[in-house]
Amino acid sequence: MNKVFVSGIIAGEPALHSSENGMAHLIFPLSVRHRTMNGMMRQEIYAINAWNNPAIWGKENLRVGNLITVQGYLTQHSRENGVLMTEVTAEEFLLGLKPGRRFKAKSAPAVLAPKDDAAPGGEGVQPGQ
């Protein structure tokens, strides 16, 4: 199984591109902080990719400085210089808007709906779920 959840702050403006076959492709850096085994804080930057509906939703709703959680999977590919890159391909975004409220972007179709008045086909998420 290849599934990953990563929470952090969007560190650069999400950029929407079109792939060679016309699919929407969103790319942005995510800054993640965590504590190491010896108690030191460490900051890492992960490249986040999203395709199609999540990419379009992300371009419309994600901004630099947003605290988000990304649910997706790890991907690897070789760069032109031969360096192997590991990235996160996002399937869903959880956007932390206000303390105590979270919204979930569904993969297909991408929606933004709170749980207490969820849109048809949308699903809200409350803290702790």
Side-chain angles (χ1 to χ4, degrees):
M1 174 165 52
N2 181 3
K3 186 167 282 263
V4 63
F5 292 85
V6 181
S7 295
I9 295 179
I10 297 175
E13 193 63 40
L16 186 64
H17 303 281
S18 229
S19 69
E20 292 174 6
N21 58 2
M23 294 189 328
H25 181 208
L26 186 72
I27 304 169
F28 63 90
L30 186 69
S31 174
V32 176
R33 290 179 49 181
H34 64 92
R35 200 168 295 280
T36 64
M37 285 179 33
N38 61 4
M40 296 182 64
M41 286 302 293
R42 181 174 177 162
Q43 180 177 352
E44 297 172 345
I45 303 289
Y46 294 99
I48 307 296
N49 289 286
W51 295 90
N52 300 321
N53 287 340
I56 294 166
W57 184 92
K59 182 57 180 170
E60 294 172 357
N61 295 283
L62 300 178
R63 302 290 175 262
V64 173
N66 285 151
L67 172 63
I68 66 168
T69 298
V70 175
Q71 180 268 306
Y73 55 93
L74 297 176
T75 55
Q76 289 186 331
H77 59 88
S78 293
R79 295 280 176 157
E80 294 160 357
N81 61 3
V83 173
L84 186 64
M85 300 294 298
T86 301
E87 300 174 340
V88 177
T89 298
E91 295 177 309
E92 294 181 338
F93 299 107
L94 293 171
L95 176 60
L97 298 176
K98 296 179 184 173
R101 291 191 67 170
R102 289 189 176 257
F103 294 86
K104 183 176 183 177
K106 296 286 288 175
S107 294
V111 297
L112 178 65
K115 184 175 185 176
D116 50 353
D117 59 354
E123 207 178 291
V125 174
Q126 295 296 317
Q129 289 186 334

